[in-house]
Amino acid sequence: MFLLALATAFAAQVAPGPFESFGDWAVACDNVRRCEMTSLLPADGETEPNGAELSLVREPGPAGEVSITVWPPEDAKGAPSLTIDGARVEGGRVRQGTLEFSGVAAQRLATVLANGHAARIVAGAGEKTGDISLAGASAALRFIDARQGRAGGVTAIVARGPKPASMVPAEAPLPVVPAIAPTGGAAAVSPTLIARLNKESGCGENYAEALPQPEPEIDALGGGATLVLLACGSGAYNLTSAAYVVRDGKATEASFDYDTDLINTDWDPSSGTLSTHGKGRGIGDCGEGASYVWDGSSFRLTEATRMDECRGSANWLTVWRAEVRRR
């Protein structure tokens, strides 16, 4: 009864945080006010994506740690470095090919970003560089200050004032999602049932003899339920699916607590996670993604990401998170 009540309460709480863009930056906060901003290519489209990017994350709450990650250009060799308006930024550490700043160094760099004009990422001896516009960075940081309740206080990066850190709202706990493990084997699903589901969903109509429909994906969900993912049409870079749950030979359309399209859907039996990744264009620099777990009756959202600007960013921003508790 407790888990059922928890699931019902959770379903009513699914409200992803906001996404905004300012100049050449995108910024989003999740449901517990963890915020992230990331650099974009200029809107004129004259610069080709090369993988160079800078992202800043600020945790919620009075302590609110800042962390910054710098990605060097694609295929770059050697350790990356960062300059702001021609001055090299110190205090970062190279980790797995990225340059990372944390603690005081990240806080100091955030202030520099707010007041700077242009950043340059240099890889190794300078054989590859990536330029980042700082237009809009100050506005994005101001958005984070406001969203986290820092505006007018000593913990703000841009909108600073005299209010003490104690005035910043405390970090809220993540919502809890009950889930069951995908144990047991998948049920046998007859070709007759698959044909009926293809007809009911309309998925079968999207395929012809020259372009046959891919075989459905059939996996155990746990608790005697079986997941059936039907291919339901595809374009150049997106494959749409329809999801059904089969119990005792009867199929029903899968229930989700968050309204999202099932695009490029994948079921991971090792983690019991159903994920989607709908790309806005082929290079994957915009779109929406979501991850779900099965609670025995519905799929519950555990993470949602989005990138509304098709401007070279591979870093989709998180707008929803939840804690998974398995039973």
Side-chain angles (χ1 to χ4, degrees):
M1 289 297 293
F2 169 74
L3 287 172
L4 179 59
L6 192 62
T8 302
F10 173 75
Q13 296 171 5
V14 178
F19 181 106
E20 297 287 346
S21 55
F22 300 95
D24 296 326
W25 288 79
V27 58
C29 298
D30 65 17
N31 50 308
V32 294
R33 296 182 180 176
R34 178 183 184 271
C35 300
E36 181 177 10
M37 53 186 275
T38 199
S39 60
L40 305 171
L41 292 180
D44 57 22
E46 294 181 2
T47 305
E48 290 294 323
N50 70 355
E53 194 165 356
L54 189 151
S55 169
L56 178 149
V57 173
R58 186 148 204 197
E59 302 296 335
E65 290 291 325
V66 176
S67 58
I68 295 173
T69 303
V70 177
W71 287 272
E74 294 173 352
D75 303 322
K77 298 178 181 178
S81 61
L82 176 69
T83 62
I84 305 289
D85 296 336
R88 180 167 175 142
V89 179
E90 304 293 345
R93 67 169 185 168
V94 177
R95 182 181 180 187
Q96 297 180 341
T98 64
L99 181 62
E100 299 181 354
F101 297 83
S102 59
V104 175
Q107 191 87 20
R108 183 170 56 244
L109 176 53
T111 302
V112 174
L113 291 173
N115 295 291
H117 295 90
R120 170 164 285 190
I121 303 169
V122 180
E127 76 282 358
K128 285 206 171 187
T129 62
D131 291 324
I132 293 176
S133 166
L134 298 183
S138 179
L141 287 164
R142 188 179 293 275
F143 175 87
I144 293 174
D145 286 343
R147 187 69 185 175
Q148 294 185 334
R150 305 183 187 282
V154 298
T155 71
I157 295 174
V158 175
R160 292 184 65 83
K163 294 180 182 178
S166 59
M167 297 297 291
V168 177
E171 181 177 0
L174 291 172
V176 175
V177 184
I180 63 175
T183 55
V189 181
S190 69
T192 300
L193 180 55
I194 294 296
R196 180 170 67 80
L197 297 180
N198 269 320
K199 184 176 180 179
E200 288 181 1
S201 63
C203 294
E205 299 174 0
N206 296 322
Y207 296 91
E209 196 171 311
L211 183 65
Q213 183 182 27
E215 289 294 317
E217 184 177 349
I218 302 173
D219 295 282
L221 285 174
T226 294
L227 172 67
V228 177
L229 288 175
L230 299 176
C232 203
S234 62
Y237 43 83
N238 284 325
L239 171 65
T240 302
S241 298
Y244 286 86
V245 175
V246 176
R247 291 180 185 272
D248 301 322
K250 297 180 180 179
T252 57
E253 189 174 355
S255 172
F256 293 82
D257 65 356
Y258 178 60
D259 185 17
T260 188
D261 294 325
L262 299 181
I263 301 176
N264 300 326
T265 307
D266 178 70
W267 169 254
D268 181 0
S270 63
S271 64
T273 301
L274 183 71
S275 60
T276 69
H277 191 80
K279 295 190 288 186
R281 62 178 182 171
I283 63 174
D285 62 344
C286 53
E288 289 187 322
S291 296
Y292 300 88
V293 292
W294 174 249
D295 74 350
S297 60
S298 299
F299 284 99
R300 303 297 186 188
L301 184 69
T302 61
E303 183 181 58
T305 59
R306 60 189 284 191
M307 174 51 67
D308 295 1
E309 301 282 353
C310 299
R311 292 169 55 187
S313 174
N315 182 30
W316 295 11
L317 304 181
T318 302
V319 293
W320 174 267
R321 290 182 298 143
E323 177 188 348
V324 179
R325 289 186 186 171
R326 300 200 175 276
R327 54 188 169 106

